[in-house]
Amino acid sequence: MSQKREILPGFIVLEGIDGSGTTTQLKRLETRFKKLHIRSCFSFEPSNGPVGELIREALSGRFNALPSTIARLFAADRAEHLYGSKGIVDQLKAGKIAVSDRYLFSSLAYQGLTCGEELPAMLNASFPLPELLLFFKLDPDTAISRMQSRKGLEIYENLDFQKRVANAYDRVVSSFDDSGMKIVCLDASNNPEFVEEAVWQAVSAILPA
Ligand code: TYD
């Protein structure tokens, strides 16, 4: 399905299954931007605002929320992240590059599985697209083994579910092929230095000269 939406120039999103290394690479990119004095802002979803906190309660299992409630919370958190004060849109208007660890593609993949595709598609239909989507591809077995050292796994962090998420992500990302958004797929099984270079290659290609 081809989806025509507004594209936000200077907005970059990292996506991938749990354990695919998006958070590590977001930090590495932030360090590189700082060194190069590139004006930027780095953020993540679920956010660290009040709605994001509620989502983390649900993901930990402490708040036993309906799957549809979780989908709605993610969409509400995203609206704050994007349009709230000092949100992505404000940062882009101020001329910064905005980079987010996860965005609506996570909702289409994860909540598409937990509550059916229709609700997350509807809740996320009006959000604009980033200029660049970096899609971290990793085999779920490898991803889960990377996560074994983490304490207190969240409700989605098990092999069976992550295998389904990996398939859902492939479908979701390819549904945006004709959207005008630049999509770069990265092999996240490589070592972090190698992935960092691949991220940089893709990111530097869209930076203003
Ligand atoms: P994650 O990036 O793994 O955060 P942390 O490293 O702090 O655990 O995100 C938490 C989980 O939230 C992850 O399993 C993906 C899931 N998620 C969704 O299910 N839908 C969404 O829209 C987003 C943004 C995340």
Side-chain angles (χ1 to χ4, degrees):
M1 181 180 58
S2 122
Q3 324 195 9
K4 284 286 166 212
R5 307 193 195 206
E6 183 193 356
I7 292 183
L8 295 179
F11 183 28
I12 300 170
V13 167
L14 282 61
E15 289 274 2
I17 62 170
D18 290 83
S20 61
T22 56
T23 307
T24 303
Q25 293 301 331
L26 185 95
K27 288 187 187 135
R28 284 176 177 244
L29 187 59
E30 186 169 11
T31 305
R32 202 184 269 245
F33 271 22
K34 276 202 181 119
K35 273 193 198 143
L36 296 172
H37 304 290
I38 296 172
R39 294 179 64 238
S40 52
C41 80
F42 286 77
S43 56
F44 46 83
E45 295 186 6
S47 75
N48 52 8
V51 185
E53 289 300 316
L54 198 50
I55 292 172
R56 287 182 198 283
E57 287 291 298
L59 295 182
S60 69
R62 287 189 294 271
F63 165 29
N64 186 12
L66 291 171
S68 57
T69 302
I70 296 181
R72 291 185 167 94
L73 287 174
F74 273 119
D77 189 44
R78 182 158 302 128
E80 291 294 330
H81 182 209
L82 203 62
Y83 303 115
S85 125
K86 301 208 179 98
I88 301 286
V89 167
D90 278 357
Q91 304 287 344
L92 293 171
K93 274 191 192 141
K96 294 184 191 171
I97 300 288
V99 189
S100 177
D101 187 357
R102 299 191 178 280
Y103 186 54
L104 60 86
F105 312 97
S106 287
S107 282
L108 299 179
Y110 288 75
Q111 281 64 59
L113 291 171
T114 57
C115 47
E117 289 178 14
E118 209 171 302
L119 181 66
M122 188 266 284
L123 291 170
N124 289 282
S126 62
F127 290 119
L129 297 179
E131 180 176 359
L132 173 64
L133 169 63
L134 296 168
F135 178 35
F136 285 54
K137 298 265 287 177
L138 185 63
D139 156 56
D141 289 286
T142 312
I144 284 284
S145 69
R146 284 184 182 178
M147 286 192 292
Q148 289 316 318
S149 58
R150 290 190 196 175
K151 273 191 270 165
L153 290 183
E154 293 174 340
I155 53 172
Y156 302 146
E157 293 174 339
N158 64 78
L159 183 57
D160 280 352
F161 189 70
Q162 291 297 319
K163 282 184 175 166
R164 295 174 59 217
V165 176
N167 286 328
Y169 254 131
D170 286 343
R171 286 197 302 275
V172 165
V173 171
S174 57
S175 77
F176 287 91
D177 274 349
D178 302 325
S179 64
M181 166 178 70
K182 188 166 182 194
I183 303 174
V184 174
C185 296
L186 302 164
D187 179 356
S189 68
N190 283 313
N191 68 50
E193 288 67 38
F194 195 92
V195 179
E196 183 182 342
E197 281 316 306
V199 167
W200 183 242
Q201 224 181 24
V203 168
S204 53
I206 68 148
L207 292 179

